[in-house]
Amino acid sequence: MLDQNMKILVVDDFSTMRRIIRNILKELGYTNVDEADDGNTGLEKLKADDFDFVVTDWNMPNMPGIDLLKAIRADAKLKGLPVLMVTAEAAKENIVEAVQAGVSNYIVKPFTAANLKERIDLILEKHK
Amino acid sequence: MADNNLQKTFEKFKEELSGLAQYVDDARKGIDEIESTFQLSSQKFPEASGQLSTVSGDLENAANNIMSLLENLVDEHDKSKALIEELSALAGTLPDESASKAKEVTAKLEGVNTGMKTIIMDMFANSSFHDLSGQKLKKVISTLSGVEAKILDMACNFGIENKGAGSEETKSSYADGKGDMFNQSEVDKILNDLKLG
């Protein structure tokens, strides 16, 4: 049974993309969602509050998603946090780099609600 | 004999002068070409970057408008879902034969409603066109700015003064403030370009 109350942080520099993900998550039953517009802000929020799940873009100003992922994995408190990367960067080297950095799963934009649900379910299943 | 030698020297001198004039003319034409390239760089490139930034902003507005409409549709869908549930409950109060027919109709309505929700969510997902095209536009704007900086560098290294660079058009193109951030040396070059340095 998935926890529909889990707190999710959506990190993306495009406000429209955050809105899309928030709406899809709402449709999937996840309404406890916060947003950040780059990795720096995202990391601050993660350190200041208790989140259960992170959905992040790759290409962002100040701190890109891959650096946010590395910072999460390097932080004693945050290292176990599931991180789903939602990105337009579909090159093999990007995927390999994300996996090596400890990404929980990887979705290429544009994606469907079903695709997002499937990945979230897979991640949560592994984190049980 | 002496006259003949003088004539030959004079002819040779004329030939050399003509060659020198041609060389100076060719060099001047070359400089003109570089100057026009410089003008293209200082005026047209910021203009092109600015227009692309505007396109990106227009896309963002369009995507946000579409999403507001989609969010309204989701609200309407939720209302119709509640109405279908109400209808379904009412169907249970009808006489047997009518109840079974009414339940069949409400089940179909529920199917249609669910299908509509799936379409709305797909439309949400496809609204990410703004993010994808925006990222590509950013790359093009960054490339344009890079080429512009290179040409300005080249022009400065060759010591070319662009007569039109301090024009109002150039000033306004920089004043838009659109495009990538510059470092101090690039800022200084732009200030010089605008006759402010």
Side-chain angles (χ1 to χ4, degrees):
Chain A
M1 184 68 183
L2 303 174
D3 182 7
Q4 301 279 303
N5 288 319
M6 70 173 181
K7 191 165 186 179
I8 302 175
L9 181 67
V10 176
V11 191
D12 201 306
D13 55 330
F14 277 81
S15 61
T16 45
M17 202 62 218
R18 295 198 300 272
R19 202 166 162 187
I20 289 168
I21 295 172
R22 186 189 268 272
N23 272 291
I24 293 176
L25 287 172
K26 185 182 162 196
E27 171 61 15
L28 298 177
Y30 302 105
T31 52
N32 195 2
V33 179
D34 197 1
E35 298 177 11
D37 59 4
D38 68 19
N40 279 334
T41 320
L43 194 58
E44 277 172 25
K45 287 198 171 190
L46 289 170
K47 285 179 176 174
D49 208 342
D50 286 325
F51 283 90
D52 305 297
F53 201 99
V54 179
V55 180
T56 184
D57 183 26
W58 184 303
N59 280 318
M60 291 181 289
N62 305 320
M63 184 193 273
I66 188 70
D67 290 348
L68 172 64
L69 172 63
K70 287 172 183 170
I72 290 170
R73 294 292 176 249
D75 187 288
K77 181 196 159 196
L78 304 172
K79 65 182 178 188
L81 205 55
V83 178
L84 173 62
M85 195 157 265
V86 180
T87 175
E89 299 298 331
K92 191 179 171 186
E93 56 264 33
N94 293 119
I95 300 163
V96 170
E97 190 181 356
V99 171
Q100 283 173 344
V103 78
S104 305
N105 217 308
Y106 195 101
I107 295 184
V108 177
K109 295 174 189 171
F111 56 89
T112 62
N115 200 349
L116 185 64
K117 183 183 185 315
E118 183 187 285
R119 302 302 160 127
I120 292 174
D121 289 352
L122 269 173
I123 293 171
L124 294 178
E125 192 65 32
K126 280 186 184 170
H127 275 77
K128 262 184 181 174
Chain B
M1 184 71 174
D3 282 353
N4 201 15
N5 279 342
L6 190 63
Q7 183 65 30
K8 274 184 181 170
T9 304
F10 184 69
E11 288 296 328
K12 180 74 181 164
F13 184 63
K14 254 178 69 180
E15 196 180 304
E16 287 291 331
L17 268 183
S18 169
L20 190 61
Q22 185 62 49
Y23 180 78
V24 169
D25 195 44
D26 288 348
R28 190 186 54 76
K29 280 179 187 163
I31 289 168
D32 284 349
E33 278 170 19
I34 295 171
E35 277 185 356
S36 61
T37 307
F38 177 45
Q39 282 188 348
L40 177 76
S41 159
S42 63
Q43 292 170 7
K44 297 295 177 188
F45 277 54
E47 195 180 302
S49 298
Q51 282 174 358
L52 285 176
S53 297
T54 307
V55 169
S56 185
D58 289 346
L59 280 175
E60 184 170 11
N61 288 338
N64 271 318
N65 289 340
I66 290 169
M67 269 185 287
S68 295
L69 294 170
L70 288 174
E71 282 167 0
N72 289 342
L73 273 178
V74 169
D75 289 343
E76 294 301 312
H77 170 271
D78 290 345
K79 284 180 199 165
S80 66
K81 190 181 175 189
L83 286 172
I84 291 168
E85 281 168 4
E86 213 174 303
L87 264 180
S88 188
L90 278 174
T93 64
L94 293 171
D96 280 353
E97 200 178 317
S98 305
S100 101
K101 183 67 187 168
K103 279 179 183 170
E104 195 183 310
V105 172
T106 51
K108 280 182 184 170
L109 263 176
E110 213 174 312
V112 171
N113 212 35
T114 306
M116 279 171 63
K117 187 68 172 281
T118 307
I119 292 169
I120 294 169
M121 296 322 291
D122 282 349
M123 286 168 80
F124 261 121
N126 280 289
S127 297
S128 60
F129 75 87
H130 161 245
D131 179 35
L132 298 171
S133 52
Q135 285 188 26
K136 284 174 187 164
L137 279 175
K138 267 187 183 172
K139 284 179 186 169
V140 175
I141 292 168
S142 161
T143 305
L144 271 179
S145 300
V147 173
E148 180 194 354
K150 289 276 179 207
I151 293 176
L152 285 172
D153 267 349
M154 217 174 79
C156 289
N157 289 338
F158 280 108
I160 294 165
E161 187 187 346
N162 180 21
K163 295 181 188 76
S167 67
E168 288 308 311
E169 193 183 341
T170 309
K171 284 175 185 169
S172 65
S173 69
Y174 281 125
D176 282 346
K178 289 164 184 167
D180 285 359
M181 300 292 283
F182 295 103
N183 62 34
Q184 187 57 53
S185 66
E186 286 166 335
V187 169
D188 290 341
K189 279 176 192 167
I190 292 166
L191 290 178
N192 282 330
D193 182 22
L194 296 174
K195 315 283 187 207
L196 295 173

